[in-house]
Amino acid sequence: MAENGTDCDQRRIGMIKEQHNGNFTDSSLLSERKRRDREERLNIVLWRQPLVTLQYFFLETLINLKEWTIKLWHRRSILVSFLLTLAVLTATYYIEGTHQQYVRYMEKKFFWCAYWVGLGILSSVGLGTGLHTFLLYLGPHIASVTLAAYECNSVNFPEPPYPDQIICPDEETIEGSISLWAIISKVRLEACMWGAGTAIGELPPYFMARAARLSGAEPDDEEYQEFEEMLEHAETAQDFASRAKLAVQNLVQKVGFFGILACASIPNPLFDLAGITCGHFLVPFWTFFGATLIGKAIIKMHIQKLFVIITFSKHIVEQMVSLIGAIPSIGPSLQKPFQEYLEAQRIKLHHKSDSGVPQGENWLSWMFEKLVIVMVCYFILSIINSMAQSYAKRLQQKMYSEEKTK
């Protein structure tokens, strides 16, 4: 009997091991298949499969339009209220009266703020790759205002043409009367709006991780999968990148609001991980978004503004140009276009375009314009590729579902 009992136990253990090995094998096969599918999706790009990519992009666009239409139909009461409000605002905009001066002022401010909020969202979301709008738009805007402020000894640029064009005011000014705080105040609105846009752009990782935690699903998102793997191997992490990610995750999880605020207040390439962490551990929305908004739109933006303003202050710029000229052999040839550019800006600020100095386009400004065009084109291409890959993911998920039902 004892021998029979022992044999039964051994057979039971053997069956459990076989079942475990079978599950392990199935899990390994599933992981391998997911990896191959992900690699296959990543190959769907315009420069490798242009026709397939464009086809998938248009199909994904149609599906998204259909989904948005259905969502709007389910929320038709909100849509009707929005349309009525829009009709009232449109009537107010076109009806003549003494209120028109306030309407024009609000219109100008609204579109100016919406422009910078939109650029902030593009910088943060990117649909696969961020458009670096601080380097391309906000940074140059702050730099141009700083250079103009030191040249004009004032920030009271006439409106219009400011902000489309900066011209020194006709008022008499005292040399050296401009202060750092005056320049910071001049660009505070656009900088804070851009920072608010970047805070809004951090919401998708938070909502994705929160929805995955509440539903128990496993989204096929590389950052979320990397986050779950990091949690599984937290104790064995050795490399610097993994430890840095763990430090961000622990700070956000344990400190809460002030931990999120600390991560959002400094230039932090790992902040997406903070959003995923907050969503995964079900941190309340306003705790996450409030700390992110304060950190990015107020604290971080003032740090970045201060850096740009100090870098482009008059004496720093003059020192940098002189240092460029001190480079052996090529220094004078490199220094010349910078000097020409600064001189052209001074002439433009004082509205002396009819003076005898030639107004030809400087190669520095030409190169920057072409860089902006290239970055925007690459951003558009990345959106097309990302949406095409989303459609390919739909097809793969449909194939999974069909195989499960067989």
Side-chain angles (χ1 to χ4, degrees):
M1 291 289 292
E3 290 178 358
N4 292 336
T6 304
D7 290 340
C8 288
D9 290 339
Q10 288 176 349
R11 283 197 299 268
R12 193 182 300 115
I13 292 169
M15 291 174 63
I16 292 171
K17 284 182 177 179
E18 287 177 5
Q19 186 178 4
H20 179 269
N21 290 335
N23 292 336
F24 180 76
T25 304
D26 291 341
S27 178
S28 300
L29 290 173
L30 183 61
S31 299
E32 181 63 22
R33 182 174 177 179
K34 284 187 175 182
R35 186 188 63 80
R36 288 199 306 268
D37 288 343
R38 192 178 298 114
E39 290 177 355
E40 183 181 332
R41 289 200 306 271
L42 292 175
N43 285 326
I44 302 176
V45 289
L46 280 169
W47 46 89
R48 290 180 182 173
Q49 303 180 53
L51 295 178
V52 173
T53 303
L54 289 174
Q55 180 189 1
Y56 283 10
F57 165 72
F58 286 119
L59 291 171
E60 180 69 13
T61 303
L62 291 174
I63 291 173
N64 286 333
L65 288 174
K66 180 183 176 182
E67 290 176 350
W68 293 339
T69 303
I70 293 171
K71 287 179 180 178
L72 286 175
W73 176 251
H74 289 314
R75 295 170 175 80
R76 48 188 178 274
S77 58
I78 298 174
L79 180 61
V80 170
S81 301
F82 173 76
L83 291 175
L84 289 174
T85 305
L86 187 63
V88 171
L89 291 175
T90 303
T92 306
Y93 183 82
Y94 285 105
I95 294 174
E96 296 295 332
T98 56
H99 65 282
Q100 282 298 319
Q101 57 178 331
Y102 304 106
V103 170
R104 301 303 174 196
Y105 175 80
M106 292 301 296
E107 177 191 18
K108 179 183 176 183
K109 288 295 182 184
F110 173 78
F111 283 110
W112 183 241
C113 292
Y115 172 75
W116 289 112
V117 170
L119 287 177
I121 293 172
L122 288 177
S123 180
S124 194
V125 175
L127 292 176
T129 178
L131 181 64
H132 302 291
T133 52
F134 182 85
L135 295 176
L136 296 178
Y137 295 97
L138 183 59
H141 173 72
I142 296 173
S144 62
V145 170
T146 302
L147 292 171
Y150 280 105
E151 179 63 27
C152 305
N153 291 306
S154 173
V155 292
N156 298 320
F157 312 124
E159 299 185 24
Y162 181 83
D164 297 323
Q165 184 182 357
I166 302 177
I167 297 174
C168 289
D170 294 329
E171 61 189 35
E172 293 291 331
T173 55
I174 303 171
E175 183 73 23
S177 60
I178 194 67
S179 67
L180 187 68
W181 183 253
I183 302 173
I184 290 174
S185 301
K186 186 68 176 178
V187 295
R188 180 178 289 120
L189 176 64
E190 43 268 52
C192 288
M193 289 298 104
W194 185 88
T198 61
I200 295 170
E202 297 293 350
L203 293 178
Y206 168 83
F207 285 126
M208 177 270 299
R210 185 180 179 88
R213 180 67 184 272
L214 291 173
S215 65
E218 295 183 2
D220 191 9
D221 182 87
E222 292 182 7
E223 288 185 344
Y224 188 75
Q225 288 181 352
E226 183 183 348
F227 170 74
E228 289 197 323
E229 290 175 3
M230 184 190 70
L231 291 181
E232 291 176 4
H233 304 94
E235 296 181 358
T236 59
Q238 296 294 331
D239 59 295
F240 176 77
S242 298
R243 284 183 293 176
K245 291 176 181 179
L246 277 172
V248 171
Q249 184 255 325
N250 289 330
L251 180 66
V252 170
Q253 184 183 355
K254 294 178 181 179
V255 183
F257 179 90
F258 292 102
I260 303 167
L261 182 65
C263 291
S265 300
I266 58 173
N268 183 5
L270 301 176
F271 191 79
D272 278 351
L273 187 64
I276 293 173
T277 301
C278 291
H280 181 80
F281 291 104
L282 304 180
V283 173
F285 170 77
W286 286 111
T287 301
F288 170 72
F289 185 65
T292 304
L293 185 64
I294 294 170
K296 285 185 172 288
I298 299 176
I299 301 174
K300 181 183 173 183
M301 268 326 305
H302 276 81
I303 294 172
Q304 290 179 300
K305 272 194 302 181
L306 198 61
F307 174 78
V308 175
I309 292 170
I310 292 173
T311 303
F312 284 89
S313 60
K314 187 175 182 180
H315 63 285
I316 296 290
V317 171
E318 290 174 351
Q319 286 178 5
M320 287 193 294
V321 173
S322 63
L323 286 173
I324 291 172
I327 299 174
S329 303
I330 60 172
S333 58
L334 287 175
Q335 187 186 44
K336 186 179 178 181
F338 285 97
Q339 290 175 332
E340 291 177 351
Y341 176 78
L342 292 173
E343 184 61 29
Q345 293 305 305
R346 290 191 184 98
I347 293 170
K348 192 185 295 184
L349 288 170
H350 292 288
H351 205 50
K352 296 177 181 178
S353 56
D354 56 342
S355 61
V357 179
Q359 295 296 312
E361 187 177 33
N362 185 272
W363 69 269
L364 284 174
S365 57
W366 182 87
M367 284 189 65
F368 184 76
E369 288 174 2
K370 299 302 177 283
L371 175 64
V372 172
I373 292 171
V374 169
M375 293 287 288
V376 171
C377 289
Y378 180 75
F379 179 67
I380 294 171
L381 290 177
S382 71
I383 292 176
I384 294 173
N385 292 336
S386 179
M387 292 186 70
Q389 291 166 9
S390 296
Y391 184 76
K393 180 181 173 182
R394 289 178 188 271
L395 294 179
Q396 291 169 353
Q397 288 176 338
K398 184 179 179 181
M399 192 181 300
Y400 287 149
S401 300
E402 290 175 353
E403 289 177 356
K404 287 180 180 179
T405 55
K406 287 181 181 179

